[in-house]
Amino acid sequence: MQQEAIQEITQAPTLEALQQVKTKYVGKSGLVTKELGALGKLPPEERRARGAEINAVRQAIDAALQEREGILKRAALDEKLASEAIDVTLPGLPLPAGGLHPITRVYDDLIGIYQRMGYEVVEGPEVEGEHHNFEALNIPWYHPARDLQDTFWLEDGRLLRTHTSNMQIRYMVEHDPPLKMVSRGKVYRYEATDATHESMFHQLEGLVVGEGISMADLKGTIAEMARGLYGPTAQVRFQPSYYPFVEPGADFAVYWNNPRGESKWLELGGCGMVHPNVFRAVDDLREAAGRDRIYEGMTGFAFGLGPERIAMLKYKIPDIRYFYANDPRVIGQFRGELG
């Protein structure tokens, strides 16, 4: 039996065939197992010698099984490695290259323009308190301007900021004039969406404060920004408008060559001279923080614009909703152009 078993083991071509041989001889109902079970029928004087003989056969069969299993496993591994080998000399599969989002690129352009003019770039919280978002900017709770900036409120009384103007207050509380800063980030308003409006969008807010700052400085700054974006022939238009935190206030627009072929002025944002009430509110916050009241009597201007509108103009995108639709057919058009 031992010779037959070892012969079958050495001739087993696969691990499955080897398992069958193992079951045949040393399995639960195998031939060797049955011999061990029959020891109880032998006389006591024969049982010990017969048991030793059967155990020796089992050990020889187990050793042969273990050796053959190792050989078959190595052969199976070698075959698998040979069949799944990678030719490292072949060219790799090309992966799609990413690129900057159009809004990110416009942000970079704007920040570069204002940094060259000496502005500091700051960022601030998107979840803001009511005082910094409204009241310190001359928009008390009863002011009708709040209807135009309805937003999303948290249960603790805070809100998602409706503009980046909150950073004007925060920056002036911590810094003394003269100063020049721009802040960027996302803002939120609860309003219907259309081709030029979204409930979440981006803003770039600017602030300049010092002695003798005038509306002429503001107009020159906006014109320089437009020339930096669109070249030396860029046209900018100002028209009177009302904003609670500036006086006087204005809207500014750039002449837009619409991709549908209808050239028109595109409003980019609002601006104006900082309202004296804003300076007084800043001094109140500074006083509460143990700092000097130094802003009352100062002059300055502020402006805010949306990168989405600029990207629409620069890259001829007709609908603001395309920026957030996650459609690779839209954004993929600018992969090469936007790096």
Side-chain angles (χ1 to χ4, degrees), residues 183-222:
S183 63
R184 63 180 178 182
K186 293 191 288 291
V187 299
Y188 306 84
R189 296 186 187 179
Y190 181 63
E191 60 179 300
T193 61
D194 56 32
T196 56
H197 296 85
E198 263 285 9
S199 58
M200 187 281 292
F201 52 99
H202 297 77
Q203 269 194 354
L204 184 78
E205 189 92 9
L207 174 69
V208 174
V209 178
E211 294 183 1
I213 301 297
S214 69
M215 195 75 176
D217 299 311
L218 169 60
K219 295 181 68 175
T221 299
I222 299 299

Side-chain angles (χ1 to χ4, degrees), residues 22-33:
K22 181 178 181 179
T23 302
K24 176 181 177 180
Y25 288 99
V26 295
K28 187 176 181 180
S29 300
L31 298 177
V32 177
T33 307

Side-chain angles (χ1 to χ4, degrees), residues 102-122:
I103 294 176
T104 301
R105 185 55 181 270
V106 169
Y107 255 144
D108 291 344
D109 291 343
L110 287 168
I111 293 300
I113 293 169
Y114 283 107
Q115 283 182 324
R116 290 193 294 271
M117 288 192 283
Y119 284 69
E120 181 181 356
V121 182
V122 299

Side-chain angles (χ1 to χ4, degrees), residues 124-135 137 139 141 146 149-166 170 186-190:
E126 296 177 20
V127 178
E128 184 58 277
E130 184 177 3
H131 184 78
H132 284 79
N133 193 85
F134 288 124
E135 294 172 358
L137 289 164
I139 313 176
W141 65 267
R146 290 216 185 186
Q149 296 190 26
D150 195 8
T151 185
F152 304 89
W153 294 79
L154 281 66
E155 293 182 354
D156 62 3
R158 294 182 297 165
L159 52 90
L160 299 185
R161 65 182 180 184
T162 60
H163 43 205
T164 50
S165 304
N166 64 317
R170 292 184 173 274
K186 293 191 288 291
V187 299
Y188 306 84
R189 296 186 187 179
Y190 181 63

Side-chain angles (χ1 to χ4, degrees), residues 11-36:
Q11 294 177 353
T14 63
L15 289 170
E16 291 78 9
L18 185 65
Q19 180 63 36
Q20 293 177 0
V21 176
K22 181 178 181 179
T23 302
K24 176 181 177 180
Y25 288 99
V26 295
K28 187 176 181 180
S29 300
L31 298 177
V32 177
T33 307
K34 289 180 179 179
E35 290 294 332
L36 287 171

Side-chain angles (χ1 to χ4, degrees), residues 246-266:
V246 293
E247 180 61 38
D251 290 328
F252 59 91
V254 174
Y255 199 64
W256 182 32
N257 292 314
N258 191 297
R260 294 186 295 269
E262 48 193 49
S263 299
K264 66 177 183 180
W265 289 95
L266 177 69

Side-chain angles (χ1 to χ4, degrees), residues 301-330:
F301 66 78
F303 58 88
L305 61 148
E308 282 89 347
R309 296 286 180 87
I310 297 175
M312 291 172 68
L313 171 62
K314 187 171 184 178
Y315 301 113
K316 299 182 179 180
I317 298 174
D319 195 316
I320 194 173
R321 292 167 290 192
Y322 289 167
F323 290 126
Y324 310 109
N326 295 325
D327 189 339
R329 296 174 301 175
V330 176

